[in-house]
Each structure stands twice: as structure tokens, then as C-alpha cells.
């Protein structure tokens, strides 16, 4: 095996196996050590054993044109032939070349045909009576037919030029018989006609071979391009799929196989979409095979969303197919959806908060304006009623602002529970006293288990939980109904429950009511609410190591439970 490096003009290169510099100038002598096998302008060839060690060190790398191993022995011999100076060596190289064997065969064929063509004359000349057969003296057209073999052979091996040469040679062979030698002259016209037809056949053979070689070369180029492309596609992070016009999957890269499994050969609509027939509405294949490029997003039955770019692709068999790249955008989509949801919640909150702030402010403003009217005399009872109104509305405002503030403090992690040993019954009694006074139209009952163990909790935070639950119980039940607060010790925990006889909560909403800003479908009996109350309760109870939940029946009422761990007696 020989290896050849080709250089541009004036390149300075060093093959360190060859030791001295190989200095290359255009159209000037090249200097090289004995290690170089053949050197010419811009080219250095090394023998196989030198190839491994010979690392070309080229000063101007951009000007190195090719690095081509000469694996074909025939090409290597030709190369050797063209580079050798000695005529004898060159002639020997030519005679030993692979192509020359074909030439020998051609000469042999021509010789045999010529011998056969003139065999009659030879028999006459030599007087071989035994061989004087009628056949050799009969129709010459038949004798000439044998020349088709070397002409077509030359056309096959040396293409059109070879066929023309051999045809001319054959015509020259025909001429002596036609003009001088034979007693039975072969008419020149018929010989000429045969020559033309045979020459055309030989040339056609050459052309057909040229064409078939060109085609197979093109096919090989396309195949190697395809292989190279597939090697690139194979390692792509995006999934790549090639689908034929018959909806069959022709190619899948590793990434898409990982996502969907192996499906080459199956119908894309079955494999990807679990359909029995092509997906009429969404299928882009007909458009894409017509030359359009389509970009779209699609949710697959595996639950993932992909951004797909489908573009036309001509496969190595010349069939117009669709090459689709799949980018997994499931996560991006989820984040987008969450952002949309969050934005919706934010705007809902803003509108709720402004509404909630506005209504008590309007009442307070109304009452204050009434007091400012100097022409009206207020009796004591009305004055007290109006002042109570201001006080209640201010409480509402305060509770709303407290909720908002508490939520943001909890979220920011700055409202940490300051835990100490506490008796839950005390917290409940104190909170209930205040609530009883604020919501006099409801009946509050208390059922505390005696001797409850102490809990380890933040007084203000647990009080906030109770206020939120009691205010909800009031807000979602009619005036005159009962609200019961119970406590009991259970499994090393203290359980508190707040029950009302209100509207209740539909089953499908029970799992969501503790979410931030979630507001159920049930209407409040009293205005207010931001969807934060229960979220705050949950955050506080979780921070205490407890849990909170609700049970409810629509139309009958709801019970909210929370449990807190009992304080360690040794602590
Ligand atoms: P809101 O400010 O809307 O009351 P909460 O976080 O306190 O927000 O409650 C969330 C949702 O839970 C409410 O919108 C309501 O649908 C439901 N809910 C809470 N408490 C009760 C209750 N005692 N009775 C019926 N539904 C309730």
C-alpha cells in the first residue's frame, strides 16, 4: 500500500521518518531522503512500512490538498509507471499492469478472428488438402461476424475509443481480402457496412458500460452521503425519523428509539399515534413529500409534547420521503402552562384584593360622610350602629391585609414559628371568645377533651389557623347555625376540629381548597375571601410538623381537622 500526500505550490513539508526536509517548489526539483518512494510536484508517496511513522509536518496546512491512500494496486502501479525515469522499467510496468492483461486478451481475440477470416487463403497457400473445407470458402459475412467479439470486448473494456480503434483495425484486416488476396473477393461495400454496424455495437457497449459505471458511482456517492448523514443524525439529541410516502418508517435515530422504541418498517400512524389509518387532519406527509416544510407541535399518546419540523428528503432509492426532527418540549410546555396559570391567579388575586379592599372602604367612607353632615342629628342607637359598622369593616380590612401579609411572610420564610409549650385548649378558648363577639349571629360550641397533653407551638400562628377556620365556618354557613370546635388526643397528637352546618364543599374541590388562591364554587354568605386563608393554615400546620384536612357533605356542612404533635415531656 502506498500513501500519497498532495501539496499546493511552495509548501514546505517534513516527513520526519524521511528525515531531511521535503522542500516543494512549483515546477522545481524536490529534495527528499532515500525514504521517499516517489516524489513529484506537490506529491510525496511513501511505502507502507513508512506510512505509519511518516507524519507530515506541513508549515502551511491550508495548502495541503489531499491525503489519499492508494489502496488500488493498479493505480499505484500506474503511478509508479508515470514517475519512473527508466524506459525499460516503464515498459515493464506497462506490460505488468492489470489493464494490459485485457489488452492481451483483445489482441488474442483479434488474432484468432483474423486467422479464421483468412484460413481459406492459408489452406490454399499451404496446400493443406485435408482442411480444404467448403465452410472456409463460403459466405464471408459469416466469417466477419466473429469480429463482433473483439469489437464489443474493446467497447466493454476501453469504451467508445477502444471500440472505434478495434473497428478500424478490423476494417484494415478486411481490406486485403476484398481488394487483393482472395479468389472470391469480399465486396468492400459489405465489409464497410459490417464495420459500421459492428463499430456502433462496440461503441454502444462502451456507452452502456460508461453509463452503468456512472450510475453505480453516483449510487455509491449517494449511499456514502446517506451513511454519513445517518451517522450525524444518529448522535443528534433531537429525535429524527424518515417516513416514506407509504407511511412506513424508514429510519429512526437513537434518540427517537429511546423515546418511542424500535419501529422501522411499521406504519407511522400505528406506531406513533396508535391509529388504524393515516391521521387525515394532522398528517403533513402529503404536503411535505410535495416539497413543503412544516413546523408544528404535537401531543403524543405517551404524554409528551414535541416540536416537529418535517422537511422533504429524497432517500437513496430516489423516493420522496419526509424527514422529521422531534424536539421534546414537554417541560417547556408545562412551565408555560404553569406561568399562564400563575398569571391568571395573580390577576384574580389582584381583582379580588382590590374588590375586598374597596367594599369595607366604601362602607367606612359612607358612614364617615354621614357623620360629617351637620344638618343631621344622630340618636345614640344609630350612632352606635354606625360606629359598630366602621369597626367591623376595619376588622375585615385588617384580616385581609393580615392574610396577605402572612402569606408573603410565610413564602419568604421570614415568619418562622416561635414554638413553646402551650395548652391548645387555652388558645382555642381565647380565640373563640373574640370570634363569638365578632359573629354574634352564629352559635359557637366548644367540646374540649379534659387533660389534653401540651403541644409545642407558636401561639400567634395557631391562633391565626383557628381564626381562618372559624371565619370560613361563619362565611360559608347561614346565620343562626352552629359552629362546633372539638379537641381530642389521638396517637401522640392533639386533634382539633371545626365543624359548621354550612353549604359544604363538593368532593372534587376537597383536594384543591388548600391551594394558594384557590376559591371554590360555593358562594360565601358574607363578602370577602382571597383564596389564601386555608393555604396559610396548611403552611402553618406543616411548619409545626402536623397535618390538616377537611371532610364535607354538600348542603350539610364541613369539618376541618388539624393535628399537632404532642410536646416531648422531657423537653
Ligand atoms: P376564601 O377566601 O375563598 O374563603 P380559603 O382559602 O379560606 O379562601 O378557602 C378556600 C375555599 O375553600 C373557599 O373558596 C371555599 O370554597 C372553601 N371553603 C373553605 N372553608 C369552607 C367552609 N367552612 N365551608 C364551605 N367551603 C369552604
Amino acid at each position: 500500500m502506498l500513501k500519497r500526500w498532495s501539496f499546493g505550490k511552495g509548501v514546505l513539508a517534513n516527513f520526519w521518518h524521511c528525515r531531511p526536509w521535503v522542500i516543494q517548489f512549483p515546477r522545481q526539483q524536490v529534495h527528499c531522503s532515500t525514504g521517499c518512494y516517489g516524489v513529484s510536484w506537490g506529491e510525496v508517496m511513501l511505502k507502507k512500512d513508512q506510512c505509519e511513522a511518516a507524519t507530515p509536518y506541513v508549515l502551511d496546512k491550508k495548502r495541503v490538498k489531499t491525503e489519499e491512500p492508494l489502496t488500488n494496486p493498479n493505480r499505484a502501479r500506474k503511478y509508479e509507471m508515470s514517475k519512473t525515469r527508466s524506459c525499460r522499467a516503464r515498459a515493464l510496468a506497462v506490460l505488468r499492469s492489470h489493464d494490459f492483461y485485457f489488452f492481451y486478451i483483445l489482441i488474442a481475440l483479434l488474432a484468432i478472428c483474423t486467422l479464421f477470416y483468412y484460413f481459406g487463403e492459408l489452406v490454399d497457400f499451404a496446400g493443406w488438402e485435408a482442411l480444404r473445407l467448403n465452410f472456409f470458402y463460403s459466405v464471408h459475412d459469416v466469417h466477419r461476424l466473429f469480429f463482433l467479439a473483439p469489437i464489443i470486448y474493446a467497447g466493454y473494456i476501453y469504451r467508445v475509443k477502444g471500440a472505434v480503434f478495434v473497428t478500424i483495425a478490423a476494417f484494415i484486416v478486411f481490406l486485403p481480402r476484398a481488394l487483393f488476396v482472395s479468389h472470391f473477393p469480399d465486396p468492400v461495400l459489405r465489409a464497410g457496412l459490417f464495420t459500421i454496424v459492428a463499430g456502433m455495437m462496440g461503441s454502444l457497449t462502451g456507452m452502456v458500460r460508461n453509463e452503468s459505471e456512472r450510475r453505480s458511482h453516483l449510487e455509491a456517492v449517494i449511499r456514502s452521503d446517506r451513511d454519513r448523514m445517518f451517522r450525524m443524525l444518529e448522535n443528534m439529541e433531537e429525535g429524527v425519523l424518515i417516513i416514506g410516502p407509504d407511511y412506513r418508517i424508514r429510519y429512526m435515530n437513537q434518540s427517537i428509539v429511546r423515546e418511542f422504541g424500535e419501529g422501522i418498517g411499521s406504519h407511522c400512524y400505528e406506531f406513533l399515534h396508535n391509529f388504524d389509518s393515516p391521521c387525515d387532519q394532522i398528517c403533513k406527509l402529503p404536503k411535505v413529500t410535495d416539497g413543503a416544510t412544516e413546523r408544528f407541535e404535537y401531543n403524543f399518546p405517551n404524554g409528551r409534547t414535541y416540536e416537529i419540523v418535517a422537511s422533504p428528503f429524497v432517500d437513496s432509492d430516489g423516493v420522496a420521503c419526509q424527514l422529521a426532527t422531534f424536539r421534546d418540549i414537554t417541560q417547556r410546555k408545562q412551565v408555560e402552562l404553569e406561568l399562564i396559570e400563575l398569571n391568571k391567579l395573580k390577576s384574580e388575586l389582584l381583582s379580588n384584593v382590590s374588590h375586598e379592599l374597596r367594599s369595607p372602604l366604601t362602607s367606612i367612607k359612607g358612614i364617615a360622610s354621614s357623620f360629617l353632615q351637620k344638618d343631621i342629628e344622630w340618636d345614640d342607637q344609630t350612632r352606635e350602629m354606625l360606629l359598630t359598622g366602621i369597626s367591623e369593616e376595619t376588622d375585615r380590612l385588617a384580616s385581609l391585609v393580615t392574610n396577605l401579609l402572612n402569606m408573603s411572610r410565610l413564602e419568604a420564610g421570614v415568619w418562622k414559628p416561635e414554638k413553646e409549650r402551650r395548652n391548645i385548649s387555652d388558645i382555642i378558648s381565647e380565640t373563640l371568645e373574640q370570634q363569638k363577639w365578632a359573629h354574634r349571629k352564629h352559635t359557637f360550641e366548644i367540646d374540649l377533651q379534659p387533660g389534653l397533653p401540651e403541644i409545642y407551638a407558636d401561639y400567634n400562628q395557631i391562633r391565626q389557623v383557628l381564626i381562618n377556620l372559624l371565619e370560613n365556618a361563619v362565611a360559608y354557613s347561614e346565620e343562626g347555625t352552629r359552629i362546633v370546635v372539638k379537641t381530642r388526643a389521638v396517637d401522640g397528637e392533639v386533634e382539633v376540629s371545626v365543624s359548621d352546618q354550612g353549604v359544604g364543599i363538593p368532593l372534587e374541590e376537597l383536594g384543591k381548597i388548600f391551594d394558594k388562591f384557590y376559591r371554590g364554587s360555593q358562594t360565601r354568605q358574607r363578602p370577602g375571601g382571597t383564596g389564601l386563608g386555608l393555604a396559610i393554615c396548611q403552611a402553618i400546620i406543616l411548619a409545626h410538623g402536623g397535618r390538616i384536612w377537611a371532610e364535607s357533605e354538600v348542603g350539610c356542612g364541613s369539618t376541618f381537622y388539624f393535628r399537632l404533635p404532642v410536646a416531648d415531656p422531657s423537653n
Side-chain angles (χ1 to χ4, degrees):
M1 192 186 88
L2 296 167
K3 199 165 183 181
R4 186 176 69 184
W5 286 271
S6 301
F7 305 99
K9 284 179 181 177
V11 171
L12 196 58
N14 178 28
F15 289 79
W16 61 275
H17 186 76
C18 310
R19 287 292 141 64
W21 290 92
V22 176
I23 304 170
Q24 188 82 28
F25 296 106
R27 311 215 172 275
Q28 280 181 33
Q29 200 184 354
V30 175
H31 303 278
C32 184
S33 75
T34 44
C36 284
Y37 188 68
V39 183
S40 77
W41 332 123
E43 285 179 339
V44 173
M45 287 179 67
L46 298 176
K47 281 178 184 166
K48 189 193 173 191
D49 56 335
Q50 295 170 341
C51 279
E52 277 106 52
T55 314
Y57 171 74
V58 182
L59 292 187
D60 184 358
K61 279 191 180 155
K62 280 185 203 149
R63 299 174 77 175
V64 176
K65 285 181 196 154
T66 51
E67 187 185 299
E68 179 189 352
L70 288 181
T71 42
N72 182 340
N74 200 36
R75 281 190 63 199
R77 199 174 292 129
K78 264 190 188 170
Y79 194 83
E80 181 189 346
M81 225 161 67
S82 66
K83 303 299 160 203
T84 321
R85 290 221 180 101
S86 134
C87 280
R88 189 173 160 273
R90 201 184 282 186
L92 272 176
V94 169
L95 293 176
R96 266 191 275 127
S97 79
H98 191 244
D99 284 355
F100 230 74
Y101 298 137
F102 296 119
F103 186 67
Y104 293 149
I105 295 171
L106 181 65
I107 296 294
L109 274 174
L110 260 178
I112 291 166
C113 290
T114 310
L115 189 68
F116 184 75
Y117 191 67
Y118 284 102
F119 203 73
E121 282 76 14
L122 191 66
V123 167
D124 285 347
F125 180 74
W128 293 331
E129 291 303 317
L131 293 176
R132 208 182 287 277
L133 303 173
N134 258 355
F135 177 71
F136 295 118
Y137 303 94
S138 61
V139 191
H140 298 312
D141 293 342
V142 178
H143 299 166
R144 267 198 306 274
L145 273 181
F146 288 93
F147 278 87
L148 277 176
I151 291 171
I152 290 173
Y153 179 77
Y156 182 77
I157 300 293
Y158 300 108
R159 317 299 153 90
V160 179
K161 258 191 212 165
V164 171
F165 272 123
V166 176
T167 311
I168 293 168
F171 189 65
I172 293 168
V173 170
F174 300 152
L175 278 181
R177 177 186 251 189
L179 300 175
F180 322 110
V181 182
S182 180
H183 305 297
F184 313 97
D186 193 2
V188 180
L189 185 66
R190 276 164 56 183
L193 270 177
F194 171 81
T195 312
I196 290 167
V197 173
M200 278 165 63
M201 285 173 76
S203 305
L204 269 177
T205 311
M207 281 186 220
V208 168
R209 188 161 180 219
N210 270 347
E211 184 56 27
S212 86
E213 273 194 356
R214 200 179 65 86
R215 289 197 74 161
S216 54
H217 174 72
L218 275 180
E219 271 170 21
V221 169
I222 291 171
R223 221 173 298 124
S224 85
D225 276 358
R226 189 181 192 264
D227 291 349
R228 198 168 340 127
M229 192 186 80
F230 282 170
R231 270 199 301 279
M232 266 160 52
L233 296 180
E234 203 54 32
N235 300 318
M236 268 173 67
E237 204 182 313
E238 279 99 0
V240 181
L241 202 72
I242 295 178
I243 302 170
D246 53 356
Y247 298 95
R248 284 201 186 274
I249 298 173
R250 293 176 163 222
Y251 170 78
M252 296 174 82
N253 75 345
Q254 277 174 15
S255 168
I256 200 122
V257 169
R258 266 198 304 275
E259 300 277 331
F260 290 88
E262 186 59 75
I264 292 179
S266 43
H267 286 118
C268 56
Y269 50 83
E270 273 171 5
F271 181 71
L272 298 174
H273 308 279
N274 297 340
F275 291 162
D276 296 334
S277 55
C279 358
D280 293 335
Q281 301 296 321
I282 51 160
C283 188
K284 313 280 181 205
L285 188 68
K287 273 195 208 165
V288 173
T289 47
D290 279 351
T293 297
E294 297 280 331
R295 184 185 284 266
F296 55 99
E297 287 172 10
Y298 191 75
N299 288 320
F300 283 90
N302 65 2
R304 306 202 70 80
T305 310
Y306 290 88
E307 185 185 61
I308 303 169
V309 180
S311 23
F313 172 78
V314 179
D315 210 347
S316 53
D317 54 0
V319 175
C321 301
Q322 168 186 293
L323 186 146
T325 52
F326 285 55
R327 179 180 299 178
D328 192 341
I329 53 163
T330 317
Q331 246 179 343
R332 199 183 82 195
K333 280 273 139 193
Q334 261 168 10
V335 173
E336 276 174 19
L337 282 178
E338 275 167 22
L339 275 177
I340 291 170
E341 189 65 22
L342 212 67
N343 274 339
K344 212 175 103 197
L345 285 174
K346 252 189 185 171
S347 14
E348 268 176 24
L349 171 79
L350 276 178
S351 90
N352 276 346
V353 167
S354 32
H355 176 77
E356 298 310 320
L357 287 172
R358 189 177 283 262
S359 10
L361 280 175
T362 316
S363 313
I364 294 167
K365 167 84 180 150
I367 299 169
S369 307
S370 311
F371 273 129
L372 282 173
Q373 283 179 9
K374 296 211 170 82
D375 51 331
I376 303 176
E377 279 289 312
W378 303 100
D379 59 69
D380 286 350
Q381 203 184 345
T382 317
R383 190 190 305 259
E384 196 193 323
M385 197 188 80
L386 289 173
L387 285 174
T388 313
I390 290 182
S391 164
E392 276 177 6
E393 294 303 332
T394 321
D395 283 350
R396 252 179 82 189
L397 267 180
S399 136
L400 180 74
V401 173
T402 311
N403 262 352
L404 283 170
L405 206 67
N406 286 344
M407 193 70 230
S408 62
R409 280 162 70 205
L410 277 170
E411 292 232 300
V414 290
W415 195 30
K416 297 214 172 81
E418 287 166 17
K419 295 183 198 167
E420 45 193 341
R421 295 178 83 89
R422 287 278 176 187
N423 192 327
I424 189 78
S425 307
D426 295 346
I427 307 177
I428 293 170
S429 308
E430 284 161 31
T431 315
L432 218 61
E433 273 317 303
Q434 186 222 338
Q435 291 295 312
K436 268 183 193 169
W437 188 83
H439 310 293
R440 271 165 281 178
K441 303 217 167 101
H442 281 82
T443 314
F444 288 90
E445 282 179 20
I446 190 162
D447 178 4
L448 303 176
Q449 186 179 344
L452 272 180
E454 284 186 322
I455 52 164
Y456 195 56
D458 181 317
Y459 174 81
N460 286 323
Q461 289 194 353
I462 300 301
R463 207 172 120 83
Q464 185 63 55
V465 172
L466 283 165
I467 293 173
N468 287 358
L469 293 181
L470 289 167
E471 280 186 347
N472 274 351
V474 170
Y476 293 98
S477 60
E478 300 243 1
E479 288 178 358
T481 54
R482 275 189 314 138
I483 295 169
V484 183
V485 181
K486 276 188 193 174
T487 55
R488 64 177 183 135
V490 54
D491 300 335
E493 288 175 317
V494 171
E495 184 184 277
V496 181
S497 64
V498 178
S499 317
D500 61 56
Q501 296 173 321
V503 287
I505 306 166
L507 198 63
E508 64 276 10
E509 289 181 11
L510 268 179
K512 299 184 229 165
I513 53 173
F514 293 97
D515 292 351
K516 255 181 289 169
F517 307 123
Y518 180 80
R519 306 199 68 195
S521 55
Q522 305 294 71
T523 41
R524 287 169 73 104
Q525 305 295 315
R526 286 160 56 88
T530 51
L532 282 175
L534 290 181
I536 291 173
C537 294
Q538 175 165 268
I540 291 174
I541 296 298
L542 289 180
H544 279 79
R547 63 195 181 97
I548 185 166
W549 72 99
E551 286 169 10
S552 184
E553 200 176 323
V554 177
C556 295
S558 318
T559 305
F560 283 81
Y561 299 88
F562 67 86
R563 281 187 189 184
L564 291 170
V566 169
D568 185 354
S570 61
N571 192 344

